[in-house]
Amino acid sequence: MKLEMLAGAKTLARGLLRRSVLRLTLACFVALAALPADAVDAQESRSATDSQAIAAIVNDQVISSYDLDQRVRLVMVSSGIPNTAENVSRIRGQVLRALVDEYLKRQEAQRLNIRIEQAEVDSALERVAQRSNMTVAQIEEFLEEGGVSKSALEAQIASDMAWQRVVQQQFGGLVTVGQNEIDEVLRRLEEEADQPRYLISEILITFDSPVHAEEISAGIQRLVEQIREGAPFEGVARQFSQSPSAANGGDIGWVHASQLPEGVGSIVTNMQPGMVSDPIRTVNGFYIIQVRSMQTGTGADPMRDQYSLMQVLLPLTPDAEPAAVNRRAREAQEFRSQVTSCEDAPALIRKYLSGTSSPLQQVIAGQLDPRTRQAVARTAVGGATEPIRSERGVEMLVICGHRPAQGEMPTRAQIDDTLYEQQLSMMGRRHLRDLRRDAVVVYR
């Protein structure tokens, strides 16, 4: 059987960028990061005049056209939106508004003397690289191919960390969740036990006034168009959504229609799995909803299934000759046809030149990226997933164990955590709104 190229080197790197925010911020906040003014453009040289042109001024701090161009490139690379002149033109305004918010957040962190040390950023980057089976150098190389320097991703990580600490420091002690609130959630879940549930992903773009809503509505419609044309929902959510779920690529798990904001639930009930909604306007924002699945009753959430996995690798260089790739493809299929358990997998993979296996890893389904999660879910215990071509070679996952999630109701502690995060997120958005209101922003 021919080797399936489920993820080439660039696809893997894009997945890394989309997942980086999930791993490096609280589930409450995801923000676009301001790039340093001296970031290196790896694709083309720019004149001094262009790099000094002004895109906006935020409280006397300049956002240069160069900064904006770099941010647009970073958004394109990490969201999966095709980098065409038309797409750049469509999202440029949305990116600039996000960049203005970013500067306001950074200024607030500076006012509160909140600093993120370079060592913290370096450690975070190393963790991302390790989880994605890449090196920091490989990440940097991919960014350079898109005309974005490594400092762009570093700035994104540092900025997310700083805003997280701003919100926690300013409002963490003010958030309280009453027992009556938890009781109400449990009561509603019990009453709706036999009602349909939906596996939902969301994008939320907030606005401060009706005028602001009109200004951003066209940009939000363009995001919907990009998703329907193939841009990954999770990548767009991580770059643009202002909901706590942005850290999870917009994933909010299984919910009843009544748990969704007013006006959103009624639309979801008329959607089919796989559909993406038009922008849904609510009191304070626009929602874009993706229905990924549907079920009736309070069955177990498959996102909470537990897996024991072993990764196996048949090494290949990125520029390997077709003959070598074909040989590895045959070896991978031979391995898949013979492996029956994780006990025999290490010895089997070592039969092939430089074949290796990793120690067992315990993961929750929701921690896996969607493609990997689907591959694992359709593979029986003892079997190996379809081969994936990566920077390192040909990779597979052997399923060592699977424990399905139970269909029990969430615990009081879990509900408490969810309500706490929701309230903290709301306070953070209000604080950003106040920063916008008090700021002096001039667009050029």
Side-chain angles (χ1 to χ4, degrees), residues 397-414:
L397 290 172
V398 182
I399 315 303
C400 307
H402 174 213
R403 188 170 70 181
Q406 301 301 308
E408 73 273 5
M409 300 287 280
T411 66
R412 296 183 70 87
Q414 290 170 334

Side-chain angles (χ1 to χ4, degrees), residues 318-343:
D319 58 350
E321 295 292 332
V325 175
N326 291 336
R327 184 180 67 253
R328 285 307 199 192
R330 291 192 299 271
E331 291 173 349
Q333 294 303 334
E334 182 179 288
F335 173 83
R336 293 187 72 220
S337 68
Q338 294 178 359
V339 67
T340 58
S341 71
C342 285
E343 283 72 28

Side-chain angles (χ1 to χ4, degrees), residues 227-421:
I227 294 168
R228 289 175 175 169
E229 290 172 5
F233 192 99
E234 65 177 69
V236 177
R238 288 200 174 105
Q239 284 293 356
F240 292 100
S241 181
Q242 295 166 302
S243 167
S245 64
N248 298 319
D251 180 18
I252 61 173
W254 290 93
V255 297
H256 294 287
S258 64
Q259 295 174 265
L260 297 169
E262 184 176 355
V264 176
S266 58
I267 291 177
V268 166
T269 58
N270 293 315
M271 294 175 64
Q272 296 298 318
M275 293 180 64
V276 174
S277 73
D278 289 326
I280 305 169
R281 182 168 176 172
T282 62
V283 176
N284 296 312
F286 289 95
Y287 282 87
I288 303 171
I289 297 295
Q290 180 188 51
V291 176
R292 291 159 31 221
S293 187
M294 174 184 172
Q295 69 178 34
T296 301
T298 57
D301 182 354
M303 298 292 283
R304 297 175 62 187
D305 282 12
Q306 298 181 32
Y307 288 94
S308 177
L309 305 176
M310 174 185 291
Q311 186 177 55
V312 294
L313 171 69
L314 297 171
L316 267 179
T317 60
D319 58 350
E321 295 292 332
V325 175
N326 291 336
R327 184 180 67 253
R328 285 307 199 192
R330 291 192 299 271
E331 291 173 349
Q333 294 303 334
E334 182 179 288
F335 173 83
R336 293 187 72 220
S337 68
Q338 294 178 359
V339 67
T340 58
S341 71
C342 285
E343 283 72 28
D344 58 16
L348 281 174
I349 200 66
R350 285 197 297 270
K351 288 169 47 180
Y352 308 104
L353 181 64
S354 302
T356 61
S357 60
S358 70
L360 293 183
Q361 293 183 329
Q362 306 297 325
V363 300
I364 304 298
Q367 297 173 330
L368 301 170
D369 68 82
R371 286 184 178 181
T372 302
R373 186 165 59 242
Q374 292 171 10
V376 168
R378 60 173 177 255
T379 303
V381 173
T385 59
E386 287 287 340
I388 293 175
R389 177 76 159 95
S390 74
E391 283 279 352
R392 301 197 307 160
V394 176
E395 301 185 37
M396 293 167 282
L397 290 172
V398 182
I399 315 303
C400 307
H402 174 213
R403 188 170 70 181
Q406 301 301 308
E408 73 273 5
M409 300 287 280
T411 66
R412 296 183 70 87
Q414 290 170 334
I415 295 173
D416 191 334
D417 289 342
T418 299
L419 294 176
Y420 177 86
E421 290 180 357

